[in-house]
Amino acid sequence: MNLRLDKYLADFTELTRSRAKKEIREGRVQVNGETAKTGNDKVAFSDSILWDGREIRGQKYQYILLNKPTGIISSTADDRDETAVEYIKKHSPVVLPSVPEYDGKSVFLAKDLFPVGRLDKDTEGLLILTNDGGLAHRLLSPRHHVAKKYFVQLDKNLDTTDVEKMRDGMDIGEKRLTSPAVLEILAPREAFLTITEGKFHQVKRMFAKLGKTVTYLKRVEMGTLVLDESLAVGEWRFLTEEEIQNLASSG
Ligand code: URA
């Protein structure tokens, strides 16, 4: 794929398109060892592109796993609350040996990242951020039935009949009953719940239907992606190639 040099810089750094043009005019950008003269030049991902001597690595898509803390919201813009995208921009990632090193100097965060689905402000756990609309669609589309697993704590004891009710589907005020869900009771007031839909406040509404209030909620899995213990609450990292490949075939 060939891109204009000014667009490449604007897409893969913090520069705006006009600042990128200015940097090029001032001779601060090199392509394959030659000082670039105009933003019209076409470049490819295989070219070596230096801005002020720093190599800028272009990535069409980025895939991020955030262990979302409570207090931040997962929509893309909000006047009052901090969004997940704003949050990751303020915090450095956890670097894995299997992922190209991110240092904020040669690899910048994509400008068009968005969260894949929603987690409530008071919910913790697995949130994917990407700019790959195709993957997001695949993971969210009801047709694909991608499983989402949550760890839940409740204000009242669970009952073994709750397992059947969750499995059989419940009327939570939607057009249809909820799809079969898997409830695994871990302790009197603790469980995993796996659902394949993503209705607004779905987990809380399903437990409310059973007469219980969710006191703590954390997403631990989405499709093949697992939130492992190595990522503490509030930490984030890029997904590995293997995780990306597996997610693409989730559902
Ligand atoms: N269900 C909920 O009720 N809240 C969430 O954040 C996610 C699923």
Side-chain angles (χ1 to χ4, degrees):
M1 189 177 71
N2 286 318
L3 284 179
R4 283 172 58 109
L5 179 59
D6 54 2
K7 178 153 169 49
Y8 183 97
L9 287 168
D11 282 353
F12 303 120
T13 71
E14 295 297 302
L15 292 172
T16 59
R17 191 92 172 243
S18 56
R19 272 302 304 269
K21 284 186 178 144
K22 190 159 174 280
E23 298 289 299
I24 297 164
R25 274 199 309 273
E26 288 176 0
R28 299 167 79 159
V29 178
Q30 292 191 306
V31 178
N32 298 329
E34 305 265 327
T35 301
K37 296 201 175 51
T38 155
N40 299 337
D41 291 350
K42 292 282 197 293
V43 291
F45 286 125
S46 52
D47 289 328
S48 153
I49 296 166
L50 305 186
W51 167 38
D52 264 350
R54 307 197 303 241
E55 184 173 9
I56 303 303
R57 275 177 271 149
Q59 295 168 300
K60 189 161 154 53
Y61 294 127
Q62 287 181 337
Y63 304 89
I64 286 166
L65 169 60
L66 168 67
N67 187 347
K68 179 190 165 303
T70 59
I72 67 165
I73 55 158
S74 52
S75 39
T76 33
D78 193 271
D79 294 338
R80 244 173 350 143
D81 293 310
E82 185 173 31
T83 67
V85 172
E86 287 162 352
Y87 177 88
I88 60 163
K89 285 188 177 157
K90 283 202 207 144
H91 297 82
S92 300
V94 171
V95 178
L96 295 187
S98 53
V99 174
E101 184 155 359
Y102 168 91
D103 54 12
K105 290 197 178 105
S106 59
V107 176
F108 291 78
L109 288 178
K111 288 183 175 146
D112 48 359
L113 291 173
F114 60 88
V116 178
R118 294 267 172 104
L119 284 183
D120 298 335
K121 188 172 164 185
D122 60 357
T123 301
E124 285 182 357
L126 185 157
L127 186 66
I128 300 168
L129 296 130
T130 186
N131 53 348
D132 180 349
L135 180 80
H137 177 75
R138 179 166 186 94
L139 293 175
L140 297 176
S141 148
R143 253 184 341 119
H144 289 112
H145 306 289
V146 171
K148 280 143 287 204
K149 184 169 176 178
Y150 294 86
F151 171 73
V152 194
Q153 286 177 330
L154 302 147
D155 68 334
K156 297 200 187 74
N157 287 0
L158 288 153
D159 196 290
T160 45
T161 61
D162 294 337
V163 175
E164 285 140 45
K165 289 176 191 155
M166 291 286 195
R167 188 196 55 209
D168 294 345
M170 291 189 306
D171 180 0
I172 57 164
E174 297 286 335
K175 277 195 212 117
R176 298 204 184 96
L177 296 185
T178 53
S179 299
V182 178
L183 180 67
E184 299 164 68
I185 299 177
L186 304 169
R189 297 182 181 193
E190 276 183 12
F192 285 126
L193 180 69
T194 304
I195 59 175
T196 57
E197 303 162 292
K199 302 265 180 341
F200 186 62
H201 294 329
Q202 179 155 348
V203 174
K204 291 175 185 163
R205 284 160 69 202
M206 288 171 81
F207 281 103
K209 189 74 190 175
L210 302 177
K212 299 170 200 359
T213 301
V214 171
T215 55
Y216 174 78
L217 186 58
K218 176 173 192 150
R219 182 156 62 195
V220 293
E221 288 180 25
M222 186 165 187
T224 52
L225 189 63
V226 177
L227 182 67
D228 59 67
E229 300 296 316
S230 64
L231 208 60
V233 177
E235 291 185 334
W236 68 271
R237 64 171 173 83
F238 286 104
L239 295 189
T240 64
E241 263 316 307
E242 193 184 353
E243 285 170 329
I244 299 164
Q245 295 306 325
N246 290 340
L247 264 186
S249 53
S250 281

